Each structure stands twice: as C-alpha cells, then as structure tokens.
Amino acid sequence: MKRIIYCINFLFILNLIFAFSSCSHAGNSGNDDEEDALIENFDPFAGTTWYGDLYKGEYDENLNQIYKKTGTGVLLCFGPASEKNNLMGQEFGYVETKNPIYFFFPKDYEAVKKSKDENAYQLLENQKLAYSVEKNENGYSACIGFLGEDFRLTISNSNANEGVIKWTSGLYVSYGYEDDKTTWYYNDTLPRTIYKQTE
C-alpha cells in the first residue's frame, strides 16, 4: 500500500513539474511573440510634436527671392496611435503641418545658379498627411506624403529628441525654354534637422 501511495505521489510531483515547465515555456514564448509584435508595429512618432526653424520669403534689391529665419515653431504634429488605420496590411497614421516647411536647394545647385536665386520648395501649413513607419539601418523613419511618400523624418533610435527631414520623392518642376530651361528636382533639396518637443 505504501508503495502504491509512493508511486502516486511520485507521478503527481512529476506531473506538476511537467505542467509548470510547460506553462513557463508557453509564457516565455508568448512574451517573445508579444515583443516581436511590438517591435514590428512599434511607432516612436505617434503622439509626438516636432519643431524647427521658421522662415519668411522676401525679395532682395535685385528682386531675387531670399528666405529669412524668423524664429522657431511647431512643424509636425503626429496623431495618436489609437487613430491609426490599417490599409492592405500596413498601418497608417496622420501628421499635420502646423507651419510652412522649407526644403532648401544647395547654393551650388544648377537651377539656383541659373536663376541667381536662393530657392526652396515650400510645404504649406495646415495640411494633414498620411505616414507609415519604416525600421531600417538608420533607425526609424516616418514616411510622409499625400498619395505615397514625399518626404521622411528619420531618427536614430526610438528615444531620439532630434531627427532629419529630407524630401525623397522624385517630383520636379521645369520652366523656361531650350538653353534657358531650368528644372527643379525636389529630392535634391538639403536635409534639415528638427527637434522633438519634450515638455
């Protein structure tokens, strides 16, 4: 009889050990899956506000367009993660432009030299644009645009308080004829550093 009780106790303890190890393993793999999902769908931009230099367009004495810095202000406000939408398996949020954003051409850019001008591409204020998040070797990028990506904000890591905006689409505009023709390629504009509002 004692032997039967001993065997039953042994089997009971063995069963408990097996059950505990199974639960523990299942719990760990569940956490791993959850962490993978969080990394895959992680959005460090949601709910953040970004500010940078503001400019005002003026004309110099030769009637060339110039841009003067007028201070700093809010440029981009990303909507909360709760208002994101899923479209064909990809998550999209929205971002609003609160002030005009200027993308400047390099001083030695051919179009600038031809026009003897200090030109920039201006993204107008009070626009609501879609964005998606891309994780790449440079960190995280918010790919922002109207009907696809026009420009992106890239940060080195999820806690970064500064990022770089760069126009990335191949949009362009041409004016003039033959030898005087000038073509502006927006993605030749310079990157700009902007900063996350932390207050």
Side-chain angles (χ1 to χ4, degrees):
M1 184 71 176
K2 286 184 179 179
R3 191 170 182 178
I4 293 171
I5 293 172
Y6 175 77
C7 287
I8 291 172
N9 284 341
F10 178 77
L11 290 173
F12 180 73
I13 291 169
L14 192 64
N15 194 27
L16 281 176
I17 291 170
F18 178 77
F20 178 77
S21 65
S22 295
C23 288
S24 176
H25 178 70
N28 285 340
S29 74
N31 287 341
D32 289 344
D33 291 343
E34 188 177 342
E35 284 174 13
D36 289 343
L38 286 173
I39 291 168
E40 184 181 337
N41 298 318
F42 183 62
D43 181 356
F45 303 99
T48 62
T49 298
W50 295 78
Y51 69 93
D53 293 334
L54 300 179
Y55 295 87
K56 181 181 179 184
E58 295 181 356
Y59 291 93
D60 64 14
E61 61 277 0
N62 298 318
L63 298 181
N64 293 320
Q65 179 82 53
I66 59 171
Y67 297 91
K68 290 191 175 177
K69 192 161 78 167
T70 60
T72 59
V74 173
L75 298 178
L76 298 170
C77 286
F78 288 85
S82 59
E83 296 183 21
K84 296 183 79 169
N85 293 300
N86 193 297
L87 181 63
M88 298 179 71
Q90 188 171 10
E91 275 198 334
F92 289 92
Y94 71 87
V95 57
E96 296 181 82
T97 60
K98 294 298 186 180
N99 281 292
I101 302 174
Y102 289 89
F103 294 90
F104 293 95
F105 289 92
K107 294 287 187 186
D108 60 350
Y109 187 63
E110 183 182 353
V112 177
K113 288 192 287 188
K114 279 186 180 180
S115 64
K116 297 179 181 176
D117 213 339
E118 184 184 19
N119 281 288
Y121 175 67
Q122 179 186 354
L123 187 65
L124 299 175
E125 63 189 314
N126 297 323
Q127 294 187 66
K128 200 170 183 179
L129 311 171
Y131 82 94
S132 61
V133 177
E134 178 185 290
K135 175 80 171 73
N136 52 48
E137 66 277 2
N138 297 319
Y140 291 91
S141 291
C143 308
I144 305 166
F146 301 94
L147 298 171
E149 179 183 331
D150 292 320
F151 69 102
R152 58 175 55 198
L153 167 60
T154 300
I155 56 177
S156 58
N157 60 68
S158 60
N159 298 316
N161 288 328
E162 68 176 51
V164 174
I165 50 173
K166 177 76 173 79
W167 197 266
T168 52
S169 78
L171 295 175
Y172 70 93
V173 63
S174 296
Y175 65 88
Y177 298 95
E178 297 177 3
D179 293 342
D180 293 327
K181 184 175 181 180
T182 301
T183 301
W184 303 88
Y185 293 94
Y186 298 155
N187 57 350
D188 288 339
T189 53
L190 296 167
R192 284 187 56 192
T193 300
I194 63 174
Y195 305 91
K196 183 165 69 173
Q197 208 166 55
T198 55
E199 297 175 0

